[in-house]
Amino acid sequence: MNLSQTYSALEMERMMKLQDVLLKAMAKKITWWAAAEIIGVSDRTMRRWRERLEADGYSGLADRRKGRPAATGFR
């Protein structure tokens, strides 16, 4: 499958940054909390992304909210 046809350029850039930071953390070049800080998410989210990268590869880093409205709590 050609990823450039499936994802927008902005989404590809986001996934590449996530992959780069996750791989550095997995190689123990940076700590997991530092990786979370770089990306701007919680430690728990970083652990989830690590698991998704290991299970699904690069496509596991895609935004799963795509096409759905944000959960704001107001309806």
Side-chain angles (χ1 to χ4, degrees):
M1 173 167 64
N2 187 350
L3 290 177
S4 64
Q5 291 179 345
T6 306
Y7 304 111
S8 69
L10 190 60
E11 180 70 6
M12 287 294 293
E13 185 177 336
R14 179 191 156 277
M15 290 187 329
M16 288 169 49
K17 179 180 179 183
L18 285 175
Q19 182 185 36
D20 182 48
V21 172
L22 283 167
L23 291 175
K24 284 180 182 177
M26 291 171 87
K28 299 187 183 208
K29 293 181 180 179
I30 60 174
T31 61
W32 283 104
W33 64 265
E37 201 169 280
I38 290 168
I39 296 189
V41 297
S42 69
D43 294 340
R44 181 180 172 98
T45 298
M46 284 304 299
R47 287 192 303 272
R48 288 177 177 168
W49 281 343
R50 177 185 65 191
E51 292 166 1
R52 285 169 42 186
L53 180 63
E54 290 171 349
D56 303 326
Y58 195 62
S59 62
L61 300 177
D63 190 352
R64 294 183 175 187
R65 300 172 301 157
K66 205 165 199 146
R68 294 187 220 148
T72 61
F74 299 103
R75 296 193 184 220

